[in-house]
Amino acid sequence: MVRRVAVIGAGASGLASIKCCLDEGLEPTCFERNDDIGGLWCFDTVDCGRTSVYRSVIANTSKEMSCFSDFPCPENFPNFLPHHQLLEYFRMYARHFDLLQHIRFKTTVLSVKKRPDFSTSGQWDVVTETKAGQESHIFDAVMVCTGYYQEPLLPLASFPGIETCFKGRYLHSREYRDAEGFQGKRVLVIGVGNSGGDISVELSRVAAKVFLSARSSTWVVSRISSQGFPFDMVITTRFTHFLYWLLPSAIMKRIGFWKFNSWFNHTNYGLASVKSSKFNIIINEELPFCILSGTVVLKPNVKEFTESSAVFEDGTSENIDVVVFTTGYVFSFPFLEDSVRSLFKHSCSLYKCIFPAQLEKPTLAIIGLVQLTGSVMVGAEMQARWVTGIFAGSNKLPPVTKMMADISKKEKQLKANMWINFISYMDEIASCAGVKPRVLRLLLTDPRLALTMFFGPCSPYQYRLVGRGRWSGARSAILTQWQRALKPFLRWLCLLALPAVLVAGFLLSKYPRPWWIPRAGSHL
């Protein structure tokens, strides 16, 4: 019987896990090595050995598509939150559900090991460390919420000369905080992911020249849809998802390429081609203009480095002062014992990207280690709801053979595309947890809600309509989501209209009455 649960990390996944534990009557204890919540989103001005967002980061998913499912983001917040406002939202969530009392700050988890009687008890020995020293604990279950961004991937061996010849400076994007120190430099950014695009754009404002090295085709999309609404609210719908299921994948891929190219022709910019079999998608509004204006120059893969330059595979070379590797991360859980860590090589080898299938007892869950086409934060909360239901005994896992068969099937599917469809995954986990919404049934009982859910954004509130954890405010949140999205615009429209009203009032009081306005007391 699971009662005491260790939650490792107080980022978005950790906060959701604490709350879900409390919802199921469990006793969570969260260990956070820093002195604040927020994890990756807790901005540090200096590199202190942990991963942090850089100063200019703005969320790639909108507030309505990223919020916790029973706690909508304030309507006056902008649609895409800068890191400090997203962190403030986390603090509001933690205060509202009284989560902070369950977090031990400045506490590092050193080891998580199976107890000698694990095959029967499923319990874990957890060793933590603070300034006061080390402490041992016994927990009935463990939720690992440290995410992807822990150990930077720095593939120096793939770039001959970078360590032996190159006299300039090189760093991983984890060390990057802002453009300070890059003024007047010739910078090479290696890797065209979201971080690579953001950093290239930011450095182009102060550097002498920025070169962006791309190894694969990259499609660039904007957070803003064609009508000016948040892109993810427009595209992430059950209707669109139905079309993907109905139409052949080749046709939907062509439609996607056409949509991407409707903004600008990616082939002309040297970014991507409709003939690409493997490609990447990033979100960046400014990168196309930087390429167009020459402040960012696209280059192919680097062949080698000399003392002061980079030689590219097309035979060209450029003098370089600084190299920034935006080459991603490798997930690493050094506190897990080898016998457990060997059970999964990556998230795809976990059952539903959560459970090590071959573990004797399902009392270890990896939360937030999934790459979705939508908000990972929302996916992590859904994972935590299902996992805590399993810990509490209200949900069950299938036999190991079925779990392994499911893992094998998913691994084959993800070889072609490492990104998992947001709605597919959310519905899959929600179905396991017994909280998947029934849109067709709603069409008979609540057609307005059903149509909004099908044709409108597939927002997190949809998964609070039924089952355990049902929220009475879910229906209202779904029907008013566009109002909250528009609220920041309407506020500014009101502010802009106020001067016009004052000027009109002044003119009416100053100038004679027009002939069409009757005098007071007169009759028409």
Side-chain angles (χ1 to χ4, degrees):
M1 176 67 180
V2 171
R3 183 172 61 87
R4 300 184 67 237
V5 181
V7 178
I8 304 176
S13 300
L15 294 174
S17 296
I18 298 170
K19 198 260 184 183
C20 291
C21 283
L22 296 174
D23 288 345
E24 292 289 350
L26 305 175
E27 298 176 12
T29 301
C30 178
F31 300 108
E32 171 55 54
R33 63 178 178 177
N34 299 298
D35 59 0
D36 200 357
I37 63 172
L40 176 73
W41 293 96
C42 189
F43 172 67
D44 274 337
T45 55
V46 296
D47 179 27
C48 60
R50 76 173 184 87
T51 304
S52 162
V53 294
Y54 32 93
R55 189 185 302 276
S56 62
V57 160
I58 296 175
N60 284 335
T61 50
S62 65
K63 64 178 183 180
E64 289 300 306
M65 303 299 288
S66 303
C67 63
F68 295 110
S69 59
D70 56 355
F71 192 73
C73 206
E75 63 178 14
N76 63 313
F77 274 31
N79 280 282
F80 291 96
L81 302 179
H83 60 80
H84 65 277
Q85 280 191 295
L86 185 55
L87 183 59
E88 177 57 27
Y89 171 69
F90 291 156
R91 288 173 176 151
M92 294 168 64
Y93 178 77
R95 288 194 298 267
H96 182 78
F97 292 108
D98 200 18
L99 306 181
L100 295 178
Q101 63 173 317
H102 302 280
I103 304 174
R104 297 189 185 183
F105 291 105
K106 295 185 177 181
T107 304
T108 301
V109 175
L110 298 180
S111 67
V112 175
K113 296 180 179 180
K114 294 185 289 186
R115 301 213 77 212
D117 62 347
F118 180 83
S119 59
T120 56
S121 70
Q123 291 183 323
W124 300 85
D125 285 319
V126 178
V127 178
T128 61
E129 184 178 49
T130 63
K131 286 185 178 180
Q134 294 186 9
E135 187 178 357
S136 297
H137 318 262
I138 298 175
F139 285 99
D140 301 314
V142 177
M143 300 176 77
V144 180
C145 305
T146 53
Y148 262 111
Y149 305 100
Q150 295 300 314
E151 185 178 333
L153 175 61
L154 198 59
L156 300 180
S158 300
F159 299 91
I162 186 71
E163 295 180 281
T164 57
C165 297
F166 186 59
K167 301 299 183 182
R169 176 190 173 202
Y170 65 86
L171 67 152
H172 190 272
S173 57
R174 189 178 83 160
E175 302 173 54
Y176 181 83
R177 293 295 177 268
D178 53 39
E180 185 64 32
F182 290 86
Q183 291 87 346
K185 303 292 186 182
R186 293 175 65 86
V187 184
L188 171 62
V189 178
I190 296 180
V192 192
N194 284 310
S195 295
D198 288 346
I199 292 173
S200 297
V201 167
E202 185 165 87
L203 292 182
S204 70
R205 302 187 185 107
V206 300
K209 201 73 173 180
V210 175
F211 302 95
L212 180 58
S213 174
R215 299 184 65 174
S216 60
S217 291
T218 301
W219 296 96
V220 184
V221 299
S222 171
R223 296 175 181 87
I224 307 169
S225 74
S226 56
Q227 299 299 317
F229 296 113
F231 177 80
D232 55 354
M233 291 187 72
V234 173
I235 197 67
T236 312
T237 70
R238 292 188 177 277
F239 172 69
T240 304
H241 183 66
F242 174 72
L243 291 181
Y244 271 97
W245 173 82
L246 182 66
L247 299 175
S249 59
I251 292 178
M252 292 306 298
K253 184 181 289 187
R254 286 287 176 177
I255 293 174
F257 289 163
W258 171 80
K259 182 65 177 176
F260 296 154
N261 274 331
S262 65
W263 184 21
F264 68 94
N265 190 304
H266 285 66
T267 302
N268 292 347
Y269 280 63
L271 282 164
S273 168
V274 294
K275 298 179 180 179
S276 305
S277 57
K278 292 185 178 181
F279 57 88
N280 185 32
I281 299 174
I282 68 171
I283 298 174
N284 198 302
E285 290 78 28
E286 298 179 77
L287 182 60
F289 176 74
C290 289
I291 296 172
L292 192 65
S293 63
T295 54
V296 173
V297 178
L298 280 179
K299 303 294 289 186
N301 193 37
V302 177
K303 181 181 179 181
E304 62 179 345
F305 283 93
T306 66
E307 286 189 0
S308 60
S309 66
V311 181
F312 300 94
E313 289 183 344
D314 63 357
T316 61
S317 64
E318 299 288 351
N319 291 331
I320 300 296
D321 299 310
V322 185
V323 180
V324 182
F325 286 92
T326 59
T327 44
Y329 294 80
V330 290
F331 78 88
S332 173
F333 305 115
F335 46 81
L336 290 178
E337 61 181 320
D338 292 340
S339 63
V340 175
R341 203 162 55 236
S342 64
L343 295 178
F344 57 100
K345 298 178 181 179
H346 43 69
S347 63
C348 302
S349 57
L350 295 166
Y351 180 61
K352 307 298 184 187
C353 299
I354 302 171
F355 287 103
Q358 294 176 308
L359 202 61
E360 300 98 305
K361 293 287 184 178
T363 56
L364 174 69
I366 314 297
I367 305 297
L369 195 71
V370 57
Q371 291 184 292
L372 300 175
T373 57
S375 171
V376 174
M377 190 170 91
V378 175
E381 185 199 26
M382 179 56 69
Q383 290 178 333
R385 291 177 65 188
W386 180 43
V387 166
T388 52
I390 290 173
F391 290 167
S394 57
N395 300 133
K396 301 291 183 182
L397 287 177
V400 174
T401 53
K402 287 190 175 181
M403 288 194 287
M404 293 303 296
D406 184 80
I407 290 171
S408 178
K409 177 182 176 182
K410 296 292 173 58
E411 281 184 325
K412 291 178 181 177
Q413 293 175 351
L414 291 172
K415 280 183 179 180
N417 184 9
M418 289 302 294
W419 293 91
I420 300 173
N421 182 274
F422 175 77
I423 297 179
S424 293
Y425 186 78
M426 289 292 291
D427 279 357
E428 183 177 8
I429 304 302
S431 181
C432 294
V435 298
K436 181 182 175 182
R438 300 173 178 88
V439 180
L440 288 177
R441 182 179 297 180
L442 279 172
L443 194 60
L444 299 175
T445 59
D446 194 342
R448 181 189 175 196
L449 178 61
L451 292 174
T452 301
M453 290 173 61
F454 186 72
F455 291 103
C458 184
S459 48
Y461 323 118
Q462 294 194 12
Y463 299 95
R464 287 286 180 177
L465 290 168
V466 297
R468 295 175 67 84
R470 182 176 179 271
W471 176 44
S472 60
R475 181 181 187 276
S476 176
I478 293 168
L479 296 177
T480 57
Q481 55 197 353
W482 282 111
Q483 295 176 29
R484 287 188 299 278
L486 290 172
K487 182 68 174 181
F489 304 130
L490 297 175
R491 180 185 62 181
W492 284 109
L493 286 174
C494 291
L495 291 175
L496 291 172
L498 180 60
V501 172
L502 294 175
V503 170
F506 171 77
L507 292 175
L508 288 173
S509 65
K510 185 174 180 64
Y511 292 98
R513 171 184 54 83
W515 64 267
W516 62 84
I517 300 180
R519 293 180 185 276
S522 64
H523 300 280
L524 292 176

